[in-house]
Amino acid sequence: MRSLSTEILPSTCPLDCPDTCSLEVTVTHGKVEKIEGTHRNPLTDGFICSKVRRFPRHLYGDERLLQPARRRGEKGRGDFEKLTWDGALDLLAERLGEVRARHGGEAILPLSYGGSNGYLTQDTTDARLFRRLGASRLARTVCAAATGRAVSGLYGKMPGVALEDYVHSRLIVVWGANPSATGIHLVPIIRQAQRGGARLVVVDPRRTPLAKKADLHLAPRPGTDLPVALALIRWLFDSGGADREFLTAHATGARELEQRAEPWTLERAAETSGIEAADIETLARLYADSEPAVIRCGWGQERNRNGGSATAAILALPAVAGKFGVRGGGFTLSSSGAWKLDSAALAGEEEPATRLVNMNKVGELLLSGEPAVRLLFVYNANPLATLPEQEKVRAGLEREDLFTVVFDQVMTDTARYADLVLPATTFLEHHELRRGYGTMALQEGAPVIEPVGEARPNYAIFGDLCRRLGLDRPGEPGSPTELTRALLAQSERGDEMRAELDAPGITYPDTGRTPVQFVDHFPPTADGKIHLLPPELDREAPRGLYAYQEDPGTDATPLALISPATNRTVSSTFGQLHRKQVPVEMHPADAGARGLQTGDAVRVWSRSGEVRCQVRLSHDLRRGVAMLPKGIWSHNTLNGATANALAPDTLTDLAGGACFNDARVEVEKL
Ligand SMILES: Nc1nc2c(c(=O)[nH]1)N[C@H]1C(S)=C(S)[C@@H](COP(=O)(O)OP(=O)(O)OC[C@H]3O[C@@H](n4cnc5c(=O)[nH]c(N)nc54)[C@H](O)[C@@H]3O)O[C@H]1N2
Ligand SMILES: Nc1nc2c(c(=O)[nH]1)N[C@H]1C(S)=C(S)[C@@H](COP(=O)(O)OP(=O)(O)OC[C@H]3O[C@@H](n4cnc5c(=O)[nH]c(N)nc54)[C@H](O)[C@@H]3O)O[C@H]1N2
Ligand code: SF4
Ligand SMILES: [Mo]
């Protein structure tokens, strides 16, 4: 029996995860007691991850920011004194105005990534403020830049195969993705397909949980997916496995692709990738012979110098082999292309052409950029924990002449360096409208509790700052209701979507919940065709599209350090809740060669920096590969540095994306 003061309220998980679970939140005496999954989003199927089940610890934990505060001690120490909201916003408005007047708008840098934010809490009133200040603009390249460019270059943002439809597939290829941690609802669907006789192939340098259940596991050296995919393409063309009829009807650039794949024999790809030629051939045959066949392409293959071309080559496979046109056939990357809604269009006038800053280069910019950044406004991001070249970012944050504002829910590693800290609400305390990037669903969330402490939502704070600076215009949408209405009005189906959001509480794009590629929709490119060698991508890639760039390893730093996601954090979110030391994992042979055993304290170093931590031996990594997970915080290692201190700020071949997995390191006993 529940007491009368207990309520069960609906919500939607907006975290940076493909699944967008529909939730049911138990609230007792105004406090969140329990969070569970529901069936409203069919993909959720009534269960959610342990991270969000434990969300009350994030809401009410010691690290939760409760009031605005101003730095008292040295930068980085996390010593603050409380301010009122009025005091904090007056101070901030004054600083913003002052910096703009003295150094120009571009001396202000807004830094947000917003993976965990929906249509209401990023690119709305915040965009309005920063545009009107003439601030520097941020290219959000830390994730999905190269994959995004590849998919839109080839297919024009065509949505992928619905994850629910994988039950119909006879072959599932999971390439550079680890859904067991990063999108858990796909796992039971894959297992169900396997029980029905489907084959599973995993391409990943690690033996992931799904790799252990796979019929075939290909473990390439990080950054060598491009040669593997090109060898598959070459084999398909040579052995009659290419669907030339489909290519003639639906694609351009097939001949050029065939030519670029020509040098990549199975043997040569095997030598470069460290996979057996016979295994690549087994995948080629399986792929050619299976119908329907689907590729779940993730982001692991993206985060290196070849990331754009590798993704393009992987996504070319279903076109070459003619795998479209059936339910359960084709590819899935991100389904966000299914939605045409655009928050930024609500922000008012067009962006002024101010300086565009690549997020991966923020460390460099803070140290030596011209014009110098004088005011850094961090929200919806934890850059010290998530950007490459962590030591440069840290040194930048230590600059005495930089005023840093951090608007967050908890005292992050970045917030410790702030001059001004502002407490933000979570999705259980504000309104949100969120589409999935795995599921096709769009769902709303309304507050289920009053804000904890004095936390406030993004849309409110940026709206308030606009008013204080005299940058607001009458009649602009500003409240969540107004923003939602204006956003839905962008679609011809706006009224229908509004009604569906009210009941049953979920809506889908025009293409529906489970559209079939090349049946229900076609590439939204100018000619409606697939472009296997888009000229603009070919011009952009430094050596042309599909040109392989060699491994950046050196004799001094021969090991490839990858930093994949774990099931403990979402990017760096929830890192405050995990206080244990996190070890670097290595293959026993690599450890043995260095005289290392599990539990030893080691120094892991690259050209960029060093991490001191423990080591753990693991048979799940291929030789030559070490792993330190993404998203850990300074308290998780002996010297406060993480994988990001080892990661270079070099860029992917397309779209200036992050190359975290191009970190090349050596490990030695401390
Ligand atoms: N629990 C949890 N869920 C998350 C996240 C999280 O941090 N935690 N993050 C969210 C976000 S922001 C994103 S972008 C997605 C990412 O989702 P995924 O792409 O599934 O996650 P990653 O762990 O980045 O990478 C997937 C796999 O790529 C492998 N890999 C590394 N280098 C290579 C390579 O060169 N080639 C190949 N083939 N594989 C490689 C890694 O070993 C890893 O198993 O997940 C989202 N979901
Ligand atoms: N080494 C390594 N680093 C990586 C990666 C990797 O593979 N390896 N992957 C990268 C990837 S895939 C991604 S997506 C990036 C993510 O990089 P970030 O976006 O910097 O990481 P998050 O941990 O998601 O940070 C979100 C922050 O915003 C706060 N927040 C959430 N909602 C709100 C809100 O409504 N208002 C405000 N004001 N704050 C809010 C959260 O508390 C959290 O601190 O990290 C990248 N970093
Ligand atoms: S993080 Fe992903 S799996 Fe966990 S509740 Fe949110 S949407 Fe669901
Ligand atoms: Mo990401």
Side-chain angles (χ1 to χ4, degrees):
M1 276 299 285
R2 295 182 192 281
S3 76
L4 280 177
S5 60
T6 294
E7 284 178 290
I8 297 183
L9 300 162
S11 186
T12 300
C13 179
L15 289 173
D16 196 337
C17 167
D19 295 2
T20 352
C21 289
S22 51
L23 307 176
E24 196 170 79
V25 186
T26 308
V27 176
T28 303
H29 298 302
K31 275 192 94 169
V32 174
E33 195 181 311
K34 197 159 83 182
I35 304 178
E36 289 169 293
T38 70
H39 294 269
R40 172 163 39 89
N41 177 357
L43 186 69
T44 313
D45 200 23
F47 71 95
I48 61 169
C49 65
S50 55
K51 303 177 293 293
V52 171
R53 262 190 282 123
R54 291 197 289 255
F55 202 80
R57 292 165 59 199
H58 182 75
L59 276 174
Y60 306 118
D62 290 343
E63 300 292 320
R64 184 75 201 266
L65 294 174
L66 300 173
Q67 285 112 7
R70 171 164 61 183
R71 175 166 68 92
R72 190 157 53 183
E74 234 168 81
K75 290 203 178 198
R77 289 225 349 243
D79 184 11
F80 295 96
E81 63 188 355
K82 287 172 199 166
L83 291 177
T84 62
W85 265 111
D86 248 348
L89 292 176
D90 277 346
L91 173 74
L92 180 51
E94 196 185 301
R95 275 307 182 104
L96 285 165
E98 216 174 77
V99 169
R100 182 171 62 154
R102 288 189 47 198
H103 305 284
E106 289 184 347
I108 299 168
L109 178 66
L111 204 172
S112 66
Y113 178 71
S116 314
N117 296 83
Y119 284 119
L120 303 186
T121 57
Q122 179 157 285
D123 290 337
T124 56
T125 54
D126 51 330
R128 203 176 278 162
L129 172 72
F130 294 118
R131 280 179 193 185
R132 290 177 189 170
L133 284 167
S136 291
R137 293 168 298 148
L138 191 77
R140 297 200 182 109
T141 46
V142 80
C143 171
T147 51
R149 186 83 98 233
V151 74
S152 56
L154 268 67
Y155 292 97
K157 289 196 176 169
M158 183 169 78
V161 177
L163 302 178
E164 292 97 311
D165 274 343
Y166 281 41
V167 288
H168 303 291
S169 309
R170 302 298 297 164
L171 172 67
I172 299 171
V173 182
V174 176
W175 198 317
N178 177 25
S180 306
T182 60
I184 57 171
H185 295 89
L186 180 56
V187 176
I189 299 173
I190 291 178
R191 302 293 290 150
Q192 188 187 339
Q194 281 185 292
R195 282 195 298 278
R199 306 293 193 90
L200 173 65
V201 179
V202 172
V203 187
D204 198 304
R206 282 194 302 161
R207 206 141 55 96
T208 58
L210 276 179
K212 290 176 188 168
K213 305 264 197 265
D215 298 280
L216 180 67
H217 172 208
L218 306 186
R221 295 192 179 101
T224 64
D225 302 273
L226 174 61
V228 176
L230 290 176
L232 292 170
I233 289 169
R234 182 186 196 268
W235 188 94
L236 288 165
F237 277 116
D238 284 359
S239 66
D243 187 340
R244 294 195 186 262
E245 211 174 304
F246 176 85
L247 288 171
T248 307
H250 294 289
T252 65
R255 266 190 63 81
E256 291 83 353
L257 173 63
E258 188 176 355
Q259 281 161 4
R260 298 214 181 175
E262 179 59 33
W264 292 102
T265 59
L266 293 173
E267 292 69 29
R268 188 164 165 225
E271 197 180 309
T272 307
S273 64
I275 302 172
E276 296 291 323
D279 285 345
I280 305 177
E281 187 172 357
T282 304
L283 172 54
R285 283 185 196 283
L286 257 179
Y287 192 61
D289 295 344
S290 306
E291 183 88 14
V294 71
I295 298 177
R296 196 319 172 224
C297 183
W299 292 268
Q301 81 294 336
E302 158 191 89
R303 310 196 200 290
N304 65 75
R305 66 217 175 271
N306 294 311
S309 290
T311 306
I314 295 165
L315 297 183
L317 284 164
V320 172
K323 295 297 173 189
F324 293 116
V326 285
R327 192 167 289 284
F331 70 85
T332 311
L333 185 72
S334 162
S335 62
S336 43
W339 291 99
K340 306 288 175 280
L341 306 178
D342 177 16
S343 318
L346 310 179
E349 63 284 350
E350 287 289 293
E351 299 217 0
T354 54
R355 158 170 75 169
L356 184 64
V357 169
N358 186 323
M359 201 171 179
N360 294 306
K361 301 280 188 187
V362 159
E364 187 77 47
L365 180 85
L366 289 178
L367 293 180
S368 57
E370 262 313 314
V373 177
R374 306 280 173 171
L375 194 152
L376 177 69
F377 198 137
V378 178
Y379 63 106
N380 303 348
N382 182 9
L384 190 54
T386 56
L387 297 187
E389 293 289 353
Q390 187 173 62
E391 291 317 324
K392 287 189 189 171
V393 177
R394 191 188 305 280
L397 291 173
E398 279 167 355
R399 265 178 47 202
E400 276 305 326
D401 61 341
L402 176 72
F403 187 82
T404 302
V405 189
V406 176
F407 183 22
D408 204 308
Q409 300 157 349
V410 295
M411 183 57 80
T412 61
D413 282 356
T414 311
R416 290 189 183 278
Y417 286 84
D419 294 279
L420 184 65
V421 169
L422 304 175
T425 44
T426 70
F427 74 98
L428 295 178
E429 302 148 89
H430 60 227
H431 291 269
E432 190 58 286
L433 182 65
R434 179 72 162 149
R435 58 153 170 68
Y437 62 94
T439 148
M440 307 270 175
L442 177 75
Q443 300 167 89
E444 267 182 320
V448 299
I449 52 169
E450 290 295 317
V452 175
E454 295 174 20
R456 291 189 187 173
N458 290 12
Y459 41 75
I461 292 313
F462 291 106
D464 190 324
L465 284 168
C466 280
R467 278 190 296 282
R468 279 171 206 257
L469 285 157
L471 297 173
D472 59 332
R473 313 256 159 91
E476 289 178 322
S479 70
T481 315
E482 290 162 358
L483 289 166
T484 305
R485 192 184 306 129
L487 197 75
L488 295 180
Q490 291 173 353
S491 166
E492 284 167 16
R493 284 185 52 240
D495 290 341
E496 212 177 300
M497 279 159 52
R498 178 65 270 167
E500 288 169 3
L501 286 170
D502 290 333
I506 189 162
T507 183
Y508 297 97
D510 298 349
T511 44
R513 176 159 83 90
T514 56
V516 178
Q517 293 177 315
F518 286 85
V519 173
D520 299 315
H521 59 111
F522 291 82
T525 50
D527 56 3
K529 290 193 171 187
I530 307 167
H531 300 166
L532 293 171
L533 192 77
E536 66 283 8
L537 267 53
D538 199 30
R539 279 192 300 272
E540 184 185 350
R543 299 187 203 167
L545 193 63
Y546 305 121
Y548 175 70
Q549 301 185 59
E550 295 293 329
D551 193 280
T554 64
D555 290 345
T557 54
L559 298 170
L561 183 105
I562 58 170
S563 43
T566 71
N567 58 12
R568 290 185 294 274
T569 63
V570 178
S571 294
S572 72
T573 302
F574 307 128
Q576 81 278 14
L577 303 176
H578 301 280
R579 315 297 299 191
K580 283 198 192 136
Q581 290 290 301
V582 174
V584 63
E585 294 187 21
M586 293 176 78
H587 190 275
D590 293 325
R594 291 161 177 81
L596 302 173
Q597 285 175 0
T598 292
D600 284 348
V602 293
R603 180 171 99 90
V604 188
W605 58 274
S606 75
R607 281 174 49 176
S608 303
E610 81 169 42
V611 175
R612 291 174 182 230
C613 61
Q614 285 166 356
V615 68
R616 184 164 77 204
L617 275 48
S618 165
H619 282 280
D620 290 338
L621 289 169
R622 64 159 292 138
R623 274 193 81 160
V625 178
M627 175 187 116
L628 199 55
K630 154 193 178 188
I632 63 174
W633 287 29
S634 59
H635 55 241
N636 295 126
T637 66
L638 299 171
N639 70 339
T642 70
N644 297 60
L646 305 169
D649 63 2
T650 48
L651 303 175
T652 52
D653 52 348
L654 296 178
C659 289
F660 297 111
N661 295 339
D662 271 344
R664 291 296 177 271
V665 304
E666 185 49 280
V667 183
E668 59 193 28
K669 212 167 182 165
L670 264 180

